[in-house]
Every structure is written in structure tokens, then in C-alpha cells.
Amino acid sequence: GSLWYLYEYSKDTNYRDAAIQMTSRIEKEKNNKGTHDLGFMLFCSFGNGLRLTGEENYNGILLTGAGSLSTRFRPNVGCIQSWGSRKGWQCPVIIDNMMNLELLIWAFKNSGDSSFYKIAVTHADTTILNHFRSDYSTWHVVSYDTITGKVEARQTAQGAADGSAWARGQVWGLYGYTVMYRETGLPRYLDQAEHIADFLISHPNMPEDKIPYWDFDAPGIPDTNRDASAAAIMASALIELSGFVGPEKRDLYLDIAERQIRSLASPAYMARPGENGNFILMHSVGSLPGNSEVDVPLTYADYYFIEALMRYRKLVEI
């Protein structure tokens, strides 16, 4: 996905050729029914490739992938199941799953099969109902009883505590509902995205440089890890969201996004060429409680940073 964006920006066919090669390596994932992350896997890669090249073969791959993703939808619950069941979690659904709905909406628009649309909208609506607190922060994991469809647990896997606001989880929600409004035009999704954005922007623990701590309620603030990936995702989402709101909020959202981009592009977060394993951004956090990917580069941090830059550039050019 990052390579496709770099090709779009530069028109350098070396990036296109590398993107084609890297994208082809993950075609097998179209048949993967064991993960909810097919939107990430396939739409960031094949989706961008299709948009930029019109490669007909990519259509079939994306439709097959959307079909595989749909097999994880649980009608009794109204959500796409994220992870496998375990004690206390019959049907765990994580907020990250909002990022996979764009693939389903695309599949509906390109196949005419309304089941894709219904699954995406039902998942988004169920998530509004059960995943968000009164202040529009979100739990990371909500698990459902597979028979009654009722919530059986609200917990975290990657956050500081069950009741905390895990930073990347909050911005997955922001991005996901912004996309759902773009794709469906349903006002409730715009309302949700705005509420989440306002929660994040006004949070007392948002640092001055607008790069969130890994969890807004993390112990040890301000002496704890930042998550550059959360900032990149938030900036990209805010830029898109700014196009759907009135002038006052538009200016606020763009101001925050620009500050995030400038912070990420500074030596504090952007690596020098040839360092950092050749990733662009430093200082992301995968799962601090799991001691996994702590203060490291992450591929999705780079992807959404590039996307944010591309989106902001289009605004400046207008």
C-alpha cells in the first residue's frame, strides 16, 4: 500500500513495479477466513492498485476477499468476529475491525450484492451501540454471547486497562466512521466521527506535539511511550473528516492534522534514510501489555503517514 501511494505521488514506475510485486505476494489472503483483517491486507494493497492501474484481475481478488471476510459475520451478534473464542470471550470484536468495512462497501458497489452493505452497516451500528462510552472513548474488545447476541465482556488486550482509552483504538474508530460516512452518507456515522474527534482533540492528556501516548490513561504519563502510528492514522482521518463538516470544525481538524504531520516529519519521529530498518517513522507501539512491538517502526504507521501527506497535499493544491 505504501508503495502504491509513493507511485501515485512520484509517477516513478520503479515504485509501481515494486508495488505490483509486493501486492502479488499476498493474493492468497483472499481465501483467508481466519482473520478479520482482510480489509487492511487487501484494500490497502489491491484496492490502491486497482484505483491507480485499473488492473482487472484485482477486482476478482477483492471480491473474493470480501466474501471471505463476510464468513466471519455473526448474525445473532450483528458483528464480524475479530478473534477466535476463548474463556470469557465467545465472540470477541475489536474496534480495529471498523477498518475492514470499506472493503465490504466497495464489494457491494462493484457486485450489486446487498449482503456486503448490510454486513458493514450492521457491524458499524452494533459497534456504536456497544463499543463506546458516554464520552465517546471506546473499549478495545467487546465480546458477545453467540446465542443471545448480548455483550458478555468489555475489556482490553493492548490498552493499559479495560476502562482506559487505548490510543490506536480510538483513532481506528475515528477513521472507520469517517469512511463509513463517506461511503454511505448516513448522518449517524458523521456524528460518531465528530464525537470521537472532539474527544481526542480535547483530551487533557493529548501532548503538545499532538503525538498521543500509547494509551490516554497510561500509567507514568508523561514519562511513557508515544504511538506515532496513532498520530498518523488520526491525521489522515481528520483531513478527510474536515471535508464533511462546517468551516469552524474544518479549520480545527486541519490545524490538528497539520501539527501532527509536522511533528511526525520532525527528527523526533522521522528516521534518517538508511536507519530504522528503512522504515519512515520511529516510536510506535504495537502492544505494550504484551511487550510486543514497543517503541519500534510499524508498517501501518508509515502507510497512514504517507496517506495523510497525500491527502493534505491535495488540499493545499486546491
Side-chain angles (χ1 to χ4, degrees):
S2 295
L3 289 166
W4 281 119
Y5 276 143
L6 293 174
Y7 166 60
E8 182 178 11
Y9 169 74
S10 69
K11 306 300 187 290
D12 184 338
T13 56
N14 289 318
Y15 284 119
R16 181 200 62 197
D17 294 345
I20 291 171
Q21 181 187 41
M22 293 296 288
T23 298
S24 69
R25 294 180 182 180
I26 57 171
E27 180 179 348
K28 67 180 187 300
E29 299 300 334
K30 68 186 180 184
N31 297 314
N32 187 346
K33 298 177 182 178
T35 180
H36 69 286
D37 274 334
L38 290 176
F40 283 109
M41 293 176 180
L42 299 177
F43 210 66
C44 297
S45 53
F46 288 101
N48 276 317
L50 177 63
R51 178 176 63 84
L52 294 172
T53 69
E55 171 56 53
E56 183 62 33
N57 185 47
Y58 290 177
N59 274 297
I61 293 168
L62 289 167
L63 285 172
T64 300
S68 296
L69 177 59
S70 296
T71 67
R72 299 187 65 80
F73 182 68
R74 308 293 177 244
N76 285 9
V77 169
C79 280
I80 298 165
Q81 184 169 340
S82 298
W83 297 333
S85 59
R86 70 178 208 194
K87 186 177 181 181
W89 288 359
Q90 293 182 50
C91 179
V93 178
I94 61 175
I95 188 62
D96 318 36
N97 215 339
M98 286 299 303
M99 300 293 287
N100 296 299
L101 304 185
E102 186 175 9
L103 172 61
L104 296 180
I105 298 292
W106 175 90
F108 159 65
K109 292 180 177 179
N110 286 272
S111 71
D113 184 343
S114 62
S115 66
F116 291 125
Y117 180 90
K118 290 174 182 175
I119 289 172
V121 168
T122 302
H123 181 99
D125 290 347
T126 304
T127 300
I128 286 177
L129 191 64
N130 295 322
H131 242 93
F132 288 87
R133 308 179 183 107
S134 60
D135 63 358
Y136 294 96
S137 65
T138 178
W139 279 279
H140 180 203
V141 185
V142 175
S143 188
Y144 296 86
D145 184 298
T146 54
I147 297 174
T148 67
K150 292 182 179 179
V151 173
E152 64 174 356
R154 290 184 173 96
Q155 294 179 286
T156 194
Q158 290 163 260
D162 290 341
S164 71
W166 173 52
R168 196 164 57 254
Q170 312 311 304
V171 298
W172 287 144
L174 171 65
Y175 194 110
Y177 282 103
T178 301
V179 168
M180 284 299 289
Y181 176 68
R182 181 228 299 157
E183 294 299 323
T184 68
L186 295 171
R188 61 182 178 270
Y189 298 146
L190 178 59
D191 291 344
Q192 190 72 10
E194 287 187 65
H195 284 310
I196 299 168
D198 297 343
F199 167 81
L200 291 166
I201 289 169
S202 63
H203 199 287
N205 286 343
M206 175 66 84
E208 184 65 28
D209 66 0
K210 307 305 177 187
I211 310 300
Y213 299 103
W214 69 277
D215 189 303
F216 283 96
D217 303 299
I221 289 174
D223 299 318
T224 191
N225 293 85
R226 304 293 190 91
D227 183 8
S229 75
I233 298 157
M234 181 176 168
S236 186
L238 285 176
I239 293 166
E240 178 164 42
L241 184 58
S242 73
F244 302 139
V245 298
E248 188 174 336
K249 277 199 169 178
R250 180 192 65 210
D251 291 346
L252 172 62
Y253 293 167
L254 287 178
D255 175 64
I256 297 296
E258 181 181 339
R259 290 166 71 180
Q260 290 178 314
I261 289 170
R262 290 186 180 279
S263 293
L264 291 172
S266 74
Y269 296 96
M270 181 182 278
R272 289 184 292 188
E275 299 181 0
N276 197 42
N278 291 310
F279 287 83
I280 300 170
L281 295 178
M282 305 180 287
H283 307 313
S284 289
V285 175
S287 175
L288 197 145
N291 196 29
S292 173
E293 301 176 330
V294 178
D295 192 20
V296 295
L298 293 172
T299 187
Y300 46 87
D302 285 3
Y303 176 85
Y304 290 104
F305 179 53
I306 297 168
E307 183 178 80
L309 290 170
M310 295 284 287
R311 287 177 167 180
Y312 196 79
R313 182 172 181 262
K314 287 180 181 176
L315 288 181
V316 173
E317 287 179 339
I318 294 174

